[in-house]
Every structure is written in C-alpha cells, then in structure tokens.
Amino acid sequence: MATDTERVPKQPIHPSVIARLDPEYLEFHNKHLLYLTPPHTLPWDPSIRSGPAVPGSSEPLKVGKTEDFDLPHTKFRAFTPEGPPPVNGWPVFIFFHGGAKCVVITVDYRLAPEHPYPTAVEDAIDSLHWVINNGKEKLSVNLQQIAVGGSSSGGNLAAILALKAIEMQPPIPIIFQLLIVPVTDNTASVEDSWAENALTPWLSPGRMMWFRHNYLPNKEDWTKWDASPLFAPEHLIKQLPRTWIAVNELDILRDEGIQYGEKLKAAGAAVHIELYKGAPHPIMAMDGVLKIGKKLVSDAVDALKNAFDT
C-alpha cells in the first residue's frame, strides 16, 4: 500500500491561506482530506454521491421515529422527537441538503445533472404543499409553526421556498428561515465576490462552477430569482420572515450570503448574520471533529428553537 509520502496530494492548501484557517480544520484537512480527489475533476458518475460529502460528521441523534413519505416525483424522510406532541402539534422544520424539539423533514430532491433547474425547486414546493395538506394528520405538526432551512445548495432552495410561499394562493406562513452558507447569487465569480477566497480549501471556484453548470446549464437562468434569490423582487423580500444566516470567513460563498442578509435587512426583515472566523465552506458537516463545526450546528439549533419559542 502506498504511504502518504508516495501519494500525490489532491487538495493541498494554498500557502497564502494557511495562517487564516482555523488550526483544527487545518490539521484535519492535512490528515484526512488532502488525498481525496475532488469530484469535479473526475468524469461524471452518479456513484460520486454514494459516499459522505465531507468526512467528520457527528453520530445521528436519537429520535422517536423515522418515516418516509412520497412526494409527486421524489420522497422525504421525517424525524419525529420522542414523547407526545405539544397540544397544538409539533413545530416542523423543512430542511434541504435536529436538535430542536420539532419534526424535521429532509427532502430527497432530485439532483442535477440528471434533473437540472428548476426540478429541485419544484420538489421543494411539493414538500411544502405536502406539509400543509398532510402534516397535521400524518405527523401531528402545527401548521402555524413552519420553518425552512438548508446548507449551501440546500440553503439556496430554502431561501427560494420562503419566497415561493409568499406567492402561493393563499400565501403559506413560514415563520423562520435558517440559511447556512447559502448560494444566493449564481452570477458570482472570481472577478467579484469570490476573489478574496478563491484559494481557500474545499469549495474552489472550479468545484463551484462544476455544480453551477450541472444545475444551471443555461446561462440565461443564472439571474432568475428562483435560481439566485439575491435577485428576488422587493415586494417579496419585504415579506420574508425572521432569518438566521451563517457564513464562513474562508468560503467563496461568504459575501453573497452577507449581501442577501443585508438586502433583507434593508427591506425590514429581522436578520441575524453569524460569521465563523477561520472557517472554510464545509464545517457544518464536520461537527464530529471540529469545535467550530459543532458551534455552528449548536448556534443553528438555538436559533431554530428560539424561533419556535417566540
């Protein structure tokens, strides 16, 4: 078997960012991520999805029950807490990509390149309709306490779903959105908001453009607000609910997450933006090995719990 000294590093950290990185992440990266081949450098194969997106996640928490339900074109998994539901039913969190005492629904939205834009948006909308039409009976949820959230591309879908809910007839009341390192601007590039973090680890411009071209093969779609919520019209933005946004200091998506939060603030929404110093893009999924990843998850759970308790 080849030793580390014989293998070729596939994801070396650029010298210019070493001093800026969280030291715990730096150590883990050099031990466990350095020799992993980035998927965007390989020929496309659906089996790429079979492994964990990022090593280092924590063990799943115990729940009362786990159930799978069908949507028109896909399915979702519902995690219900232990014990009896509150008098008015469980709060419900529709999550894309637990801890708070609520039913958590994770949507198996269809993926690109087999299913490009707007398929994932359609599946997100279907999941919300299912909750409204079936959630009270099937999962004992409280339809006055619906929150949405997601990470990265899932944060993109959650932001779009919160906007779509306002457009629905009648509008569906989302009380909170939790957006973790969200994609909000699919026109961003190394010429603008990505410039400062273009050499940071894990989510490189090359990898991000690979995702973008798979999901949005037609460039004319990049500025549509149900692909890039940063371009959503003012009349929808000003109706958005309370929002919590996590951005990572060493992430190419940092600035567009901040810009989205500032746009919401300017329109009158209650927004909190939390910046994680020294953190690259994937730390939420590394909460089993990184203190900063554990803190992000804990902060997100607290924000969700506070939204349901208010």
Side-chain angles (χ1 to χ4, degrees):
M1 180 179 293
T3 65
D4 282 355
T5 56
E6 294 170 328
R7 290 186 291 166
V8 177
K10 302 293 180 59
Q11 300 191 73
I13 294 176
H14 194 273
S16 67
V17 299
I18 289 175
R20 298 169 58 203
L21 272 172
D22 175 77
E24 198 174 29
Y25 174 87
L26 178 63
E27 181 182 3
F28 186 83
H29 183 103
N30 285 332
K31 281 185 178 178
H32 303 285
L33 308 180
L34 186 61
Y35 300 100
L36 296 181
T37 302
H40 70 282
T41 65
L42 298 170
W44 170 249
D45 190 314
S47 65
I48 289 172
R49 303 178 182 131
S50 61
V54 185
S57 60
S58 60
E59 291 297 316
L61 297 174
K62 186 179 180 183
V63 297
K65 62 180 176 179
T66 302
E67 301 169 277
D68 291 340
F69 295 92
D70 290 331
L71 292 173
H73 303 287
T74 183
K75 58 185 181 297
F76 69 84
R77 180 162 292 173
F79 302 87
T80 299
E82 296 177 297
V87 173
N88 294 322
W90 295 111
V92 58
F93 180 47
I94 304 175
F95 186 74
F96 302 92
H97 200 18
K101 200 76 168 173
C102 64
V103 168
V104 178
I105 288 174
T106 58
V107 182
D108 185 23
Y109 57 89
R110 289 170 290 173
L111 300 174
E114 300 94 327
H115 302 285
Y117 164 90
T119 304
V121 175
E122 293 166 354
D123 290 343
I125 292 169
D126 284 343
S127 71
L128 181 57
H129 283 152
W130 189 98
V131 168
I132 292 297
N133 295 327
N134 305 285
K136 189 175 181 68
E137 176 189 356
K138 302 283 189 183
L139 292 170
S140 299
V141 301
N142 182 348
L143 300 182
Q144 303 307 309
Q145 285 199 302
I146 302 174
V148 298
S151 172
S152 195
S153 59
N156 169 273
L157 287 178
I160 292 163
L161 185 58
L163 291 160
K164 290 284 187 180
I166 296 165
E167 281 197 321
M168 293 175 184
Q169 295 300 325
I172 294 175
I174 305 294
I175 68 162
F176 183 66
Q177 59 174 343
L178 188 145
L179 310 178
I180 299 171
V181 294
V183 178
T184 69
D185 179 5
N186 274 299
T187 70
S189 71
V190 291
E191 277 73 49
D192 44 67
S193 66
W194 292 356
E196 183 181 335
N197 283 321
L199 298 175
T200 53
W202 197 258
L203 187 59
S204 65
R207 183 179 290 200
M208 189 61 208
M209 290 304 296
W210 178 73
F211 287 129
R212 182 183 296 173
H213 286 298
N214 279 329
Y215 180 57
L216 294 161
N218 300 314
K219 192 171 182 178
E220 59 267 26
D221 293 332
W222 293 5
T223 55
K224 293 178 179 177
W225 70 257
D226 61 353
S228 298
L230 188 62
F231 301 121
E234 185 76 10
H235 74 277
L236 295 180
I237 291 286
K238 69 181 182 181
Q239 297 180 70
L240 284 170
R242 184 174 163 188
T243 301
W244 189 87
I245 301 175
V247 294
N248 294 341
E249 185 186 23
L250 274 68
D251 180 10
I252 62 172
L253 302 183
R254 179 195 65 196
D255 290 352
E256 63 193 75
I258 293 172
Q259 289 166 10
Y260 192 60
E262 295 298 335
K263 180 170 183 173
L264 270 59
K265 283 183 183 179
V271 180
H272 177 80
I273 303 171
E274 191 72 27
L275 173 70
Y276 292 86
K277 298 281 287 182
H281 181 76
I283 62 162
M284 187 191 81
M286 304 171 77
D287 64 313
V289 294
L290 300 182
K291 294 184 184 70
I292 196 166
K294 188 170 296 193
K295 183 179 188 307
L296 191 159
V297 171
S298 178
D299 290 347
V301 170
D302 286 346
L304 181 62
K305 184 177 184 299
N306 290 338
F308 285 143
D309 289 346
T310 301

